[in-house]
């Protein structure tokens, strides 16, 4: 049996990057959450914040460790499967990824030990400094990785010479045209995803009547935060979409299932036919697409037929993944705003069905992130560097189909085992719950306000 090394390499990279992205997404959100919790403890000396910080820092450590293991593999994979891509773009992307290791990973790995094991060994302010450094590391990690990824979508600050890219302006390369929108979109998505995980775990405790003080305060804070982040994500997403329309109009056409250039409807549902270059079973609102994308009913939107068939992305994947992301974003907005309404009008009394819905919605942010990632990465095909380097020209020339099939199989087995181990330890930590020192009543909490107890 003959295997296509290009197709298998694409499947392998999609699989490994989809697995890896889950963990940085979670640790970025948890990093900021830990800074907030420990900062509040230093300000108020309320034991709730200290015990919460300890509980969530353990989950942070588990997620960080799994993310590091799954991420290290990617650099080797790029060298083995995507040797041509590495050779052609290495002068630009190599230093950017090195900056990520030198700054972000150094901060995360260097201060993680103090954050986890320094509670009784260093002073509270020094410990908080370590927590801030770890959170800053996740922030910088997203900065460099999103910069490199954005450069592939909107390359800038380079010259192409002797079959390789060379940097002419690091400022323009790092702060390429789509980077600010992509970075803001990813950061907010990470924070929103984390709030739903935190709210889901707290809702699970509330439903089972355990750790009520911890669960009630955590759930209220997470729901209110999500109520602010969800509409913010819609606003950032709209700005990101307008930027994509300007620089990658064919990708937007694939997202909308829009084939002809001209005024565009907003397609609610359709079955895109790649071969016939048309939609079947289409349900659309006329001119609404132009209104959203150009702020004009008659605004012209570039269609997929503006480029040859071999320069179009595979539309069904982009079209449906985009709608899945939108649907989950709408669901999270409704759930978060309903929770905020309950806090406002019902003084924090939640129906059991709502708590169950929030528990089941815990992974909604992760699925939305994966759907958005598929939309943006499948939408730029057939290019690895937009309009300059094709994916088919990026694969390693010496790679055989059999080698690609073997490595894909091994990655599937190892990553499945790694994910199973992560879930087992995560559920173990959640079932164990926060420290027993969490005060159960107001009187107990007042008795434990002294930081000396925890120092």
């Amino acid at each position: 049996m003959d295997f296509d090394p290009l197709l298998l390499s694409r499947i392998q990279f999609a699989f490994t990057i989809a697995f890896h992205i889950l963990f940085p997404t979670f640790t970025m959100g948890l990093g900021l959450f830990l800074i907030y919790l420990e900062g509040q403890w230093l300000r108020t000396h309320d034991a709730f914040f200290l015990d919460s910080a300890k509980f969530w820092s353990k989950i942070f450590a588990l997620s960080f460790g799994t993310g590091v293991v799954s991420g290290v593999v990617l650099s080797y994979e790029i060298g083995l499967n995507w040797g041509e891509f590495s050779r052609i773009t290495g002068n630009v992307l190599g230093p950017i990824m090195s900056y990520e290791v030198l700054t972000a990973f150094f901060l995360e790995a260097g201060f993680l030990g103090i954050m986890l094991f320094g509670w009784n060994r260093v002073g509270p302010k020094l410990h908080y400094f370590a927590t801030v450094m770890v959170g800053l590391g996740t922030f910088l990690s997203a900065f460099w990785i999103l910069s490199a990824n954005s450069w592939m979508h909107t390359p800038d600050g380079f010259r192409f010479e002797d079959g390789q890219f060379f940097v002419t302006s690091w400022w323009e390369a790092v702060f390429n045209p789509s980077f600010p929108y992509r970075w803001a979109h990813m950061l907010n998505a990470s924070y929103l995803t984390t709030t739903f995980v935190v709210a889901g775990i707290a809702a699970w405790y509330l439903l089972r009547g355990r750790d009520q003080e911890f669960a009630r305060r955590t759930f209220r804070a997470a729901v209110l935060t999500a109520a602010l982040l969800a509409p913010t994500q819609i606003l950032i997403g709209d700005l990101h979409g307008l930027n994509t329309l300007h620089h990658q109009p064919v990708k937007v056409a694939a997202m909308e299932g829009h084939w002809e250039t001209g005024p565009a409807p907003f397609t609610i549902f359709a079955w895109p036919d790649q071969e016939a270059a048309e939609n079947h079973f289409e349900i659309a609102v006329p001119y609404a697409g132009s209104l959203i994308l150009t702020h004009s009913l008659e605004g012209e939107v570039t269609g997929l037929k503006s480029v040859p068939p071999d320069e179009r992305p595979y539309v069904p994947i982009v079209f449906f993944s985009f709608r899945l992301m939108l649907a989950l974003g709408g669901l999270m907005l409704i759930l978060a705003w309903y929770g905020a309404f309950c806090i406002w009008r019902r003084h924090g009394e939640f129906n059991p069905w709502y708590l169950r819905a929030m528990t089941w919605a815990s992974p909604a942010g992760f699925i939305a992130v994966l759907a958005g990632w598929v939309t943006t990465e499948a939408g730029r095909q057939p290019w690895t560097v937009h309009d300059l380097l094709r994916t088919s020209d990026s694969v390693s020339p010496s790679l055989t189909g059999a080698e690609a099939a073997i490595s894909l199989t091994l990655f599937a087995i190892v990553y499945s085992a790694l994910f199973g181990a992560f879930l087992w330890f995560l559920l173990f930590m959640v079932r164990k719950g926060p420290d027993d020192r969490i005060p159960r009543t107001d009187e107990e909490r007042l008795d434990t306000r002294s930081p000396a107890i925890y120092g």
Side-chain angles (χ1 to χ4, degrees), residues 351-429:
N351 294 318
W353 67 264
Y354 177 67
L355 296 176
R356 280 192 285 273
M358 289 299 289
T359 303
W360 283 103
S362 296
F366 290 117
I367 300 172
V369 166
L370 289 178
W373 194 259
V374 169
T375 299
T376 195
E377 298 307 311
R380 72 171 147 130
Q381 294 300 318
W383 310 99
T384 45
V385 179
H386 184 62
D387 277 346
L388 296 170
L389 177 63
R390 282 180 174 268
T391 306
S392 56
D393 296 327
S394 303
V395 72
S396 299
S398 60
L399 183 70
T400 66
E403 291 170 340
I406 291 172
S407 62
L408 173 59
T409 303
L410 291 175
F411 274 120
I413 294 172
V414 172
Y415 274 44
S416 297
L418 183 63
F419 191 62
F422 169 78
L423 280 182
W424 190 89
F425 281 109
L426 177 64
L427 293 176
F428 173 78
M429 290 179 179

Side-chain angles (χ1 to χ4, degrees), residues 41-170:
W41 173 65
L42 287 176
R43 188 179 69 84
T44 65
H45 301 310
D46 187 333
F48 162 77
F49 292 111
L50 178 61
D51 286 317
S52 294
K54 288 184 176 180
F55 174 71
W56 293 110
S57 65
K58 294 173 186 173
I59 294 179
F60 177 93
L62 174 66
S63 305
F64 177 78
T66 310
V68 169
V69 172
S70 61
V72 167
V73 173
L74 295 176
S75 59
Y76 293 100
E77 185 180 350
I78 290 174
L80 291 172
N81 293 60
W82 304 99
E84 276 299 281
F85 169 79
S86 182
R87 182 186 68 80
I88 297 171
T89 65
N91 293 319
V92 180
L93 299 183
I96 292 178
M97 297 309 295
S98 297
Y99 298 149
E100 193 269 341
V101 175
L102 290 173
T103 57
F105 186 72
F106 172 79
L107 289 175
E108 291 171 314
F111 289 94
L112 183 63
I114 299 175
M115 189 183 84
L116 291 176
F117 306 110
W119 291 106
N120 298 314
R121 295 176 175 82
V122 299
K125 292 184 179 178
L126 179 57
H127 188 279
Y128 185 57
F129 177 75
T131 302
V132 171
M133 290 299 103
V134 171
L136 178 62
T138 65
F139 185 78
L140 290 176
S141 180
F143 176 91
W144 292 115
I145 291 173
L146 267 296
S147 174
N149 180 264
S150 298
W151 185 86
M152 290 188 281
H153 288 267
T154 53
D156 200 1
F158 70 92
R159 73 174 190 278
F160 192 75
E161 186 176 306
D162 298 330
Q164 289 183 301
F165 292 99
F166 293 90
V167 173
T168 57
S169 168
W170 279 111

Side-chain angles (χ1 to χ4, degrees), residues 296-311:
S296 168
L297 289 174
E298 299 293 333
E300 183 175 284
V301 179
T302 301
L304 286 156
K305 291 183 180 179
S306 64
V307 296
D310 67 343
E311 293 185 9

Side-chain angles (χ1 to χ4, degrees), residues 137-260:
T138 65
F139 185 78
L140 290 176
S141 180
F143 176 91
W144 292 115
I145 291 173
L146 267 296
S147 174
N149 180 264
S150 298
W151 185 86
M152 290 188 281
H153 288 267
T154 53
D156 200 1
F158 70 92
R159 73 174 190 278
F160 192 75
E161 186 176 306
D162 298 330
Q164 289 183 301
F165 292 99
F166 293 90
V167 173
T168 57
S169 168
W170 279 111
W171 180 268
E172 293 176 359
V174 171
F175 294 95
N176 57 79
S178 67
F179 167 65
Y181 304 95
R182 206 179 301 276
W183 187 38
H185 199 46
M186 188 65 206
L187 280 177
N188 202 70
S190 300
Y191 301 148
L192 183 59
T193 297
T194 303
T195 58
F196 266 80
V197 175
V198 170
I201 292 174
W204 189 77
Y205 288 143
L206 287 171
L207 283 169
R208 279 153 183 77
R210 52 169 292 188
D211 299 297
Q212 291 294 286
E213 174 72 6
F214 168 83
R216 183 175 58 82
R217 296 181 65 177
T218 301
F219 188 73
R220 287 167 60 100
V223 165
L224 290 176
T225 305
L228 294 175
L229 291 174
T232 303
Q233 185 69 341
I234 294 173
L235 175 61
I236 297 173
D238 181 60
L239 296 174
H240 185 25
L242 294 176
N243 179 266
T244 305
L245 178 67
H246 181 70
H247 294 283
Q248 295 175 293
V250 175
K251 180 195 290 188
V252 174
M255 292 159 62
E256 300 295 340
H258 185 55
W259 298 93
E260 304 286 349

